[in-house]
Amino acid sequence: MPQIAAPKGTRDILPDEFAARRWLLDAHAAVAESFGYRGIETPIIESTELFSRGVGTDTDIVEKQMFTFEDRGGRSLTLRPEGTAGTLRAVLGAHLDQELRPVRLHYAGPFFRAERPQAGRQHQFTQVGIECIGEGSPALDAEIIEVAWRFFKALGIDGIHLQVNSLGSPEDRARYRTALVAYYTPLEASLCDDCRRRLHTNPLRLLDCKRDAGLVAAAPILWESLDRPSRDHFTTVLRDLESAGIDAIRNDRLVRGLDYYGHTVFEFWHDILQGAQSSLGGGGRYDGLAELLGFPSTPATGYALGVERILMVARAVGTVPSDPAATDVLVCSVEPGQAEAAAGVARLLRDAGMHSILDVAERRLDRKLRGASRAGARVAVIVGENEVGSDSAVVRDLDGRSQQTVPIAELASTVIRILARDSVAETAIGEDS
Ligand code: AMP
């Protein structure tokens, strides 16, 4: 029978990558919490309407990337393609915004988009994100960018290019749409198929087109359509970023692919990621989304960052630390008769905080020791007949290739010293035991 493979566009997170991801996820939660953001988890399946109404029917995500299915009761469900709509639904549904505004939240989890799988694009991927719900202040747009900025710093990633733009208010965008339509309509015949359609459905998305890049470059600029309050909002964001020491690059063409954004939008780019997939993530203000979902109007701002892409960069720049979950010690018996004593020794070492694997298999000692090195252990503790009789154990430094016999009472402290590379005088192999 053929072997079963993982579904297209998905990847298994094997132990080496698991540790690196945990490092990243912990760093994100710690940085967000240092700004007062609290954790939230929402369902992976949502009603399809949450995204068709929230993200917008003319967006790539809703048009062609959703995993949508009917449940047994005939309701249309979708594997969440993004986290903002679900988080907002959860917060407003639970009236959290009536207790304290703004509500500051962070999340992490899997998301699903049926994009053509390629480097940097998967069907299932992971995002970390934050949402700041209930206030419209530009200071909060700058705050969330600062959270992400500090997060990248915590991971040791330099060279982030922060791209920012303002999409203004709905009225500003209506003015801009008119200007875009006036610009593109005489050029309609030369547009690609997607753009010809977008001209009538969602002209802002014309700026995302890679094929008609020349036309995009000469298109009207959004800033020209912004009114005074919108310009002030954006100017304040830029000023706050500057005083936080964050370099922002103004990008007039940045519109982002989701309908719910207004005013500030931003993306984090890195040179290591080339081409269309150069974005580590992004976000912006989405004051209009709550109403689209049927809730009272509620201003909000947030971001989402792609975990797999950030890990790609962290690996390339070499900042991923070694696995903190790795095994420290392998405890083994010499013969089955010492299995119980060896298990007791392993327990004792775990109580002292060490990661200890127990090997009481009927196998030659040299094979057990080879296994210890392969498991990443730096110390082996060997329990043989003599040791059981004398309430001691043999401690073998697998890197230094030396060993000593120590009383059980001194075992934990001896192993800790070796692991800390603060070696005590050791007996050369062969002299002891
Ligand atoms: P978006 O909100 O669509 O800009 O997505 C934010 C970030 O999530 C992107 O910049 C990517 O880092 C990541 N991302 C989005 N879609 C995918 C995907 N299909 N595969 C892997 N990462 C993705």
Side-chain angles (χ1 to χ4, degrees), residues 113 115 120-122 125 127 256 279-281 304 306 309:
R113 291 184 197 173
E115 301 185 71
R121 276 193 202 283
Q122 299 157 215
F125 56 99
Q127 287 184 338
R256 304 213 11 96
S279 167
L280 293 176
R309 290 201 202 155

